[in-house]
Amino acid sequence: MVYDVIVIGAGPAGMTAALYARRAEKSVLVIEKETFGGQITFSPKIENFPTHAEISGSAFADLLLAQVQAQGADIELDTVTAIAKNGDIFAVQGEFSAYEGRTVILATGAKHRMLGLDKETELVGAGVCYCAVCDGAFYRGQKVAVIGGGNTALQDAILLADLCEEVTVVQNLPELTGEKVLQARLRKLPNVRIITDAKVTQLCGEDALDGIHIQLGAGMQQRLDVTGVFVAIGQQPDNEAFRDYAALDDWGYIMADERCTTQTEGLFVAGDCRTKAVRQIVTATSDGAAAALAACRYLDAQ
């Protein structure tokens, strides 16, 4: 079968794209390699998405998936390894099968870089966080640490300083690397301390985080008693398989604006895998709608 639209990735961007394409009466296949819902499934609570005062990430993803399936989209669990365009048809190669579509929407997302420590996965949502905007309010009045020294880490620390009793910024380099204006703002905050040339070596706690161990430049070990750690050491997209058809920037993100178009006709992109300033659920769903509508216009013009 040749689908009108193949969506690669089933996070909020991909599933919104599938929803819009189905409502436009296009045949749709969604291919997901791991978890329906993407990164948001790891968030214990969402409080900043319109219509939901409070909902878990997994419940949010379940609702999205059910809505897309109710609209009649086909779903496949597979890892896409390559795409190719033959005339007006895209060939999408997966590990288990091959698929064909008249258009393709790339919604592969981006993963937060992890510390790579024991217990990190188990403590996600129980003290280990990757988004201060999403989860910062849950640590109001508590002591937390921000890992990283770039712009994102500094912005996270400034935001958390308004909510938390104490914020410790841990940077593995001898100095912070974020913008000077952010550094200046951060250093003026009375409840923020900065530790440079230090590496997180251990996450403490069983069911919930109760501290971290850091190794200082001289090899000394120090324990920080924190109930939350916000990891801000960058994100990592997975777009190499599409490089021949979608231009990537120096960090591996697909170069596209709010129109969600790429250099290849019929190939569109949505969500965190593209170049953008803000990566939130609402911006991902916005991209999904824009990409699907662009794909539908392309199809209708054929």
Side-chain angles (χ1 to χ4, degrees):
M1 175 179 179
V2 178
Y3 287 90
D4 291 326
V5 180
I6 293 179
V7 181
I8 302 175
M15 287 200 280
T16 302
L19 177 64
Y20 269 71
R22 279 300 302 142
R23 287 182 59 81
E25 299 185 339
K26 309 301 183 187
S27 58
V28 176
L29 170 66
V30 180
I31 306 173
E32 169 58 40
K33 68 176 182 179
E34 290 179 348
T35 306
F36 293 106
Q39 291 183 59
I40 197 60
T41 58
F42 297 106
S43 180
K45 194 182 295 183
I46 301 168
E47 293 183 326
N48 59 357
F49 191 83
T51 74
H52 290 289
E54 177 182 312
I55 187 172
S56 71
S58 59
F60 180 82
D62 288 345
L63 288 172
L64 261 179
L65 178 59
Q67 188 176 16
V68 169
Q69 289 178 313
Q71 289 292 327
D74 290 341
I75 306 291
E76 288 286 349
L77 273 171
D78 201 349
T79 298
V80 173
T81 57
I83 63 171
K85 190 175 184 184
N86 304 314
D88 293 331
I89 302 299
F90 286 91
V92 177
Q93 183 62 53
E95 288 185 353
F96 304 115
S97 188
Y99 316 91
E100 290 185 324
R102 297 171 61 199
T103 64
V104 170
I105 298 174
L106 303 174
T108 52
K111 289 187 175 181
H112 293 285
R113 294 185 189 275
M114 301 180 72
L115 296 171
L117 298 175
D118 291 342
K119 299 183 181 179
E120 185 171 2
T121 301
E122 292 84 349
L123 290 174
V124 170
V128 174
C129 306
Y130 300 90
C131 178
V133 174
C134 309
D135 301 329
F138 304 131
Y139 296 87
R140 187 181 300 274
Q142 301 178 42
K143 295 181 180 181
V144 302
V146 174
I147 313 304
N151 284 346
T152 299
L154 302 190
Q155 290 167 342
D156 286 354
I158 292 168
L159 182 153
L160 291 166
D162 283 338
L163 302 170
C164 302
E165 177 185 344
E166 182 180 85
V167 179
T168 301
V169 177
V170 179
Q171 162 72 313
N172 66 338
L173 298 176
E175 57 186 28
L176 300 176
T177 57
E179 295 175 359
K180 297 299 183 182
V181 64
L182 291 176
Q183 293 188 38
R185 287 179 59 191
L186 193 66
R187 294 183 190 280
K188 291 179 181 179
L189 299 174
N191 62 334
V192 172
R193 63 172 173 158
I194 300 169
I195 303 176
T196 57
D197 202 16
K199 179 181 179 181
V200 182
T201 57
Q202 184 179 346
L203 302 172
C204 307
E206 294 302 324
D207 297 327
L209 185 80
D210 59 27
I212 61 174
H213 286 172
I214 62 173
Q215 180 177 304
L216 303 176
M220 295 177 55
Q221 292 285 333
Q222 180 180 346
R223 176 186 165 99
L224 302 180
D225 293 321
V226 295
T227 54
V229 59
F230 291 81
V231 182
I233 56 176
Q235 290 189 322
Q236 186 173 5
D238 186 15
N239 293 321
E240 282 299 317
F242 318 118
R243 177 182 287 276
D244 291 342
Y245 293 90
L248 308 183
D249 69 5
D250 292 340
W251 294 272
Y253 292 96
I254 297 171
M255 296 174 66
D257 58 18
E258 284 74 13
R259 293 173 297 174
C260 297
T261 57
T262 71
Q263 66 190 40
T264 302
E265 287 193 354
L267 181 65
F268 306 90
V269 59
D272 289 359
C273 63
R274 78 167 178 88
T275 51
K276 59 193 306 182
V278 178
R279 292 183 170 90
Q280 293 286 296
I281 307 173
V282 289
T283 62
T285 55
S286 172
D287 277 4
L293 292 173
C296 291
R297 286 193 296 269
Y298 171 83
L299 290 167
D300 292 342
Q302 297 304 299

